Amino acid sequence: MEKKEAPKSSLDALVSLCKRRGFIFQSSEIYGGFAGFWDYGPLGCEMKRNIKESWWRATVRDREDVEGLDASIIMHPATWKASGHLDTFSDPMSMCKGNCRKLMRADQIWDIYEDSTLCATLTSMLGDAGKIATWCKTKGKSAAPGLYTVQHPEHLEAIFETLKGITDAKQLLITLATPAGEAEALPCPNCGGVMTEPRPFNLMFKTIVGPIEDPSNVAYLRPETAQAIFAEFSNVMVSSRQMPPFGIGQIGKSFRNEVTPRNYIFRSREFEQMELEFFIKPDEAIELLEGHVATLTDTTDLSVPQADWGWECWHKYWVEQRKLWLVKNGLPQESFVEYWQKPDELAHYARACVDIEYRFPFGVQELEGIAARSDFDLSRHQEHSGKSMEVFDEPLKLAVKKMSDEEKAAFRQKTVADWEARGKSAEAANAFIDRLFEGRYIPHVIEPSSGVDRMALAMLCNAYEEQHLVDEKGKEDIRTVLHLAPAIAPIKVGVFPLVKNKPELYNLAREIFKKLQRRYNCFWDESGAIGRRYRRQDEVGTPFCVTVDFDTLEKDGTVTLRDRDTMQQERISVEDLIKKLDDLILG
């Protein structure tokens, strides 16, 4: 059967498949749905578990320098004051003053407009002032009832000539929405009404702890998992007998009251994060211990961590580790890009931040970020809680003890100059050096942070394909297939008896199925033609199918093992089947 090239399908086709085959459902759909919340069905929850398990194994279980944590969703409110979330964790929000009264993020208004029917309608009329005027007086009354020219059609005469020269749908909407004699309006992409000036809107969900609704009992659902790691840093370090460099990993739910959740599961109000906080020694401590700090170059070997690594090497190391994980789990290198944030884009405390961006059907968007966050987080919690977040490093104290007074003075002079070059005070630098000479410091942190839901969406988008097949007789067919990596696929193996009315064959197939089921998530299917059964498994991403047929009974005892991506089949003994599947699935 010949395979013809077919373009990747739109997000709409993937959304339809995800609902039809039990990956993702709209939350509370029987009540009309609940925006920004999603439910994962039988296959979706398996896929999410596989993503989390793969991340946990690679980031925590297979490493000696990372510990795990599962912290509570609701934490003491002071946590969010210390982290800055109470004061600064907000989005610019605008509300439509027209008919719909909708709230939306001011920085997303034009993105929403570009995806709207209103934009498509106005785009089709660009340059035709007469058609635009007619639309405003007729169909516009229902399509955009808040639009100024719909409510005041007499204004069209004054701007008629202007409409002829507009070649951009965004500018056309602004022109139609702006009242006569006023400055350009920010129009609503839904009804055309004028939006209010943007105002900050805190994204944290409030809740009440205890029986009394009182401001003193207000708490928040966490907007990220990282702050719990910082709050528990000392407990984890002491109980696990770790010392920097070491990390703490966590997977868990987070909640953000997004003004305009959109793009399917990409931006939701409830989501899961996979976050690692990897704590490292300050570069100044590395210099005292090793005599130098390794310089990061294009030829630096980042495969194995070294004792002389500073923050730059550690940051680049985790960027490369995350890329390796993405590729191993089915996202080819060419499907994502690294974006290194420019200095004016960085948070004030960050030394560097890399966004790994994926080409989603709705545009290039951040998939995960790897940030060098300095000692900001632990320092803030130390300041607000009054509890020390310092590490006592005995080898560091001994290294300082061996230094001469001249060497200490030279180190102090160099360090103060470095700090002042970064905009920090000499007073702060000297206080830091005094503690460092005592063997004490607050660790810096490298933070790889990714969302399970975004990761699932990227993997589904990358995996989805509609193949146009042509058989030997020239008959065309379309095969829908999810090319999910075997480790991520919700079902690993489909097992089929060729027929179900031959007891010996059927029972042997059940026996093989039960044996495989103890190792992987398997699917049993005995109904329909074998080709149709293959197609059903292709559509949900099952990488391998095992068929027990008459040759299994009557000839050599082998079964048919089919590969999803190539559709090639091979005969293999039952004894060799498990070993081969282990190699293919577990790597």
Side-chain angles (χ1 to χ4, degrees):
M1 186 172 279
E2 180 187 355
K3 182 170 75 174
K4 289 175 136 185
E5 289 298 322
K8 290 278 183 180
S9 187
S10 69
L11 186 61
D12 290 341
L14 178 62
V15 171
S16 176
L17 181 145
C18 285
K19 180 179 180 182
R20 185 176 71 254
R21 297 309 307 269
F23 280 89
I24 302 166
F25 306 128
Q26 173 69 61
S27 175
S28 311
E29 185 178 10
I30 62 172
Y31 296 105
F34 200 21
F37 299 93
W38 300 91
D39 297 334
Y40 286 77
L43 296 186
C45 65
E46 283 288 340
M47 182 177 172
K48 277 187 72 174
R49 286 176 67 91
N50 292 341
I51 292 171
K52 292 185 287 186
E53 178 61 28
S54 176
W55 185 92
W56 191 262
R57 186 185 306 114
T59 309
V60 180
R61 194 175 300 149
D62 288 351
R63 300 183 64 102
E64 295 180 59
D65 57 355
V66 178
E67 304 294 337
L69 181 70
D70 184 5
S72 62
I73 287 172
I74 298 176
M75 303 175 64
H76 194 289
T79 303
W80 309 113
K81 181 66 176 176
S83 67
H85 283 81
L86 272 180
D87 299 323
T88 63
F89 191 62
S90 59
D91 277 341
M93 182 181 71
S94 291
M95 185 174 75
C96 175
K97 295 190 288 188
N99 291 52
C100 70
R101 311 294 292 175
K102 285 195 173 182
L103 296 169
M104 59 193 77
R105 275 178 56 173
D107 59 342
Q108 292 180 353
I109 285 174
W110 293 117
D111 292 335
I112 296 170
Y113 175 56
E114 288 174 3
D115 294 337
S116 70
T117 304
L118 180 59
C119 180
T121 301
L122 295 183
T123 300
S124 69
M125 298 188 294
L126 285 172
D128 192 333
K131 187 178 287 188
I132 295 169
T134 301
W135 177 84
C136 287
K137 296 173 183 177
T138 55
K139 293 182 180 179
K141 292 180 179 180
S142 58
L147 205 59
Y148 181 75
T149 49
V150 169
Q151 297 177 347
H152 301 276
E154 68 277 5
H155 179 56
L156 288 164
E157 294 180 16
I159 63 171
F160 194 82
E161 292 302 318
T162 302
L163 296 178
K164 293 180 181 179
I166 297 176
T167 58
D168 177 71
K170 174 181 175 181
Q171 187 56 50
L172 178 56
L173 181 62
I174 292 173
T175 303
L176 296 176
T178 301
E182 296 187 14
E184 284 190 345
L186 179 63
C188 171
N190 181 56
C191 76
V194 176
M195 303 295 294
T196 61
E197 286 293 317
R199 294 180 180 178
F201 169 71
N202 195 283
L203 299 178
M204 287 196 294
F205 281 103
K206 286 184 180 181
T207 188
I208 299 295
V209 176
I212 301 173
E213 278 203 39
D214 184 85
S216 63
N217 293 332
V218 169
Y220 302 89
L221 303 186
R222 66 184 180 194
E224 63 177 34
T225 64
Q227 296 307 317
I229 296 176
F230 297 128
E232 294 291 1
F233 164 72
S234 295
N235 283 334
V236 174
M237 182 181 67
V238 172
S239 62
S240 61
R241 298 171 63 202
Q242 291 276 13
M243 281 288 290
F246 85 101
I248 302 174
Q250 180 171 212
I251 300 175
K253 291 270 191 180
S254 294
F255 305 82
R256 294 181 184 178
N257 195 9
E258 294 284 354
V259 180
T260 47
R262 56 199 299 266
N263 292 329
Y264 199 29
I265 60 172
F266 178 82
R267 191 179 298 280
S268 304
R269 289 175 168 137
E270 176 182 339
F271 53 95
E272 278 192 277
Q273 288 181 291
M274 304 179 291
E275 291 196 296
L276 169 68
E277 305 303 329
F278 197 82
F279 301 97
I280 58 174
K281 296 177 173 69
D283 281 14
E284 294 86 351
I286 297 296
E287 186 174 343
L288 291 172
L289 284 163
E290 304 297 326
H292 70 284
V293 178
T295 301
L296 178 65
T297 68
D298 292 339
T299 59
T300 301
D301 182 2
L302 295 170
S303 58
V304 180
Q306 301 297 319
D308 62 352
W309 278 8
W311 74 264
E312 284 188 295
C313 287
W314 275 114
H315 181 246
K316 183 63 174 172
Y317 167 80
W318 279 110
V319 171
E320 295 306 311
Q321 288 295 305
R322 294 305 304 143
K323 287 162 58 180
L324 288 172
W325 184 88
L326 291 171
V327 171
K328 181 180 179 181
N329 286 278
L331 289 183
Q333 183 85 43
E334 61 272 15
S335 70
F336 57 85
V337 294
E338 284 179 48
Y339 177 75
W340 287 74
Q341 290 187 16
K342 301 178 180 65
D344 61 338
E345 296 173 318
L346 291 170
H348 66 90
Y349 51 79
R351 308 289 288 273
C353 185
V354 172
D355 294 334
I356 297 181
E357 300 178 326
Y358 178 76
R359 296 182 180 90
F360 290 96
F362 43 83
V364 177
Q365 299 283 347
E366 181 187 346
L367 184 59
E368 68 172 284
I370 303 95
R373 296 176 60 92
S374 70
D375 63 353
F376 173 78
D377 301 282
L378 290 180
S379 294
R380 290 279 294 185
H381 286 294
Q382 175 173 285
E383 176 188 346
H384 281 256
S385 70
K387 302 294 193 301
S388 174
M389 294 292 174
E390 285 186 329
V391 167
F392 174 67
D393 193 323
E394 182 71 28
L396 174 62
K397 184 178 180 179
L398 293 176
V400 172
K401 196 172 183 179
K402 295 176 183 177
M403 295 172 66
S404 66
D405 291 342
E406 292 77 12
E407 289 173 326
K408 291 179 183 178
F411 176 84
R412 184 180 292 273
Q413 184 179 11
K414 174 179 176 295
T415 301
V416 169
D418 288 344
W419 277 49
E420 288 182 326
R422 298 204 308 268
K424 296 187 176 184
S425 70
E427 182 183 4
N430 279 305
F432 166 77
I433 295 166
D434 290 342
R435 300 298 287 167
L436 203 62
F437 282 177
E438 295 173 3
R440 299 183 184 278
Y441 57 82
I442 295 176
H444 289 221
V445 69
I446 307 296
E447 180 190 71
S449 175
S450 59
V452 182
D453 308 83
R454 287 189 181 187
M455 196 66 67
L457 181 58
M459 290 176 175
L460 286 167
C461 288
N462 182 75
Y464 186 92
E465 185 183 11
E466 293 177 1
Q467 294 178 347
H468 290 210
L469 305 178
V470 182
D471 64 17
E472 296 80 4
K473 298 179 181 179
K475 183 179 178 182
E476 291 196 6
D477 188 18
I478 296 178
R479 180 175 86 124
T480 301
V481 57
L482 287 179
H483 299 282
L484 293 169
I488 300 302
I491 301 170
K492 310 301 186 191
V493 187
V495 181
F496 317 136
L498 186 63
V499 295
K500 59 182 178 182
N501 59 359
K502 192 172 181 63
E504 309 97 292
L505 188 151
Y506 184 91
N507 291 337
L508 178 57
R510 287 296 297 176
E511 187 179 312
I512 293 172
F513 171 71
K514 290 292 185 183
K515 188 178 294 185
L516 294 176
Q517 196 180 33
R518 289 197 290 268
R519 304 176 74 84
Y520 327 107
N521 188 34
C522 299
F523 189 84
W524 171 265
D525 195 350
E526 60 186 53
S527 86
I530 196 69
R532 187 170 296 176
R533 285 184 260 175
Y534 285 150
R535 291 296 175 83
R536 287 196 287 255
Q537 293 307 303
D538 292 341
E539 194 175 43
V540 299
T542 304
F544 308 106
C545 291
V546 173
T547 303
V548 179
D549 54 23
F550 293 110
D551 286 350
T552 310
L553 291 177
E554 299 168 2
K555 291 187 178 179
D556 51 10
T558 60
V559 296
T560 298
L561 179 63
R562 175 187 181 267
D563 183 274
R564 172 200 64 205
D565 296 332
T566 65
M567 295 186 287
Q568 298 298 309
Q569 301 180 23
E570 66 170 302
R571 304 294 303 191
I572 186 170
S573 68
V574 176
E575 291 74 21
D576 293 337
L577 178 63
I578 289 179
K579 183 180 184 308
K580 174 137 191 174
L581 288 174
D582 276 348
D583 291 341
L584 292 170
I585 295 170
L586 305 179

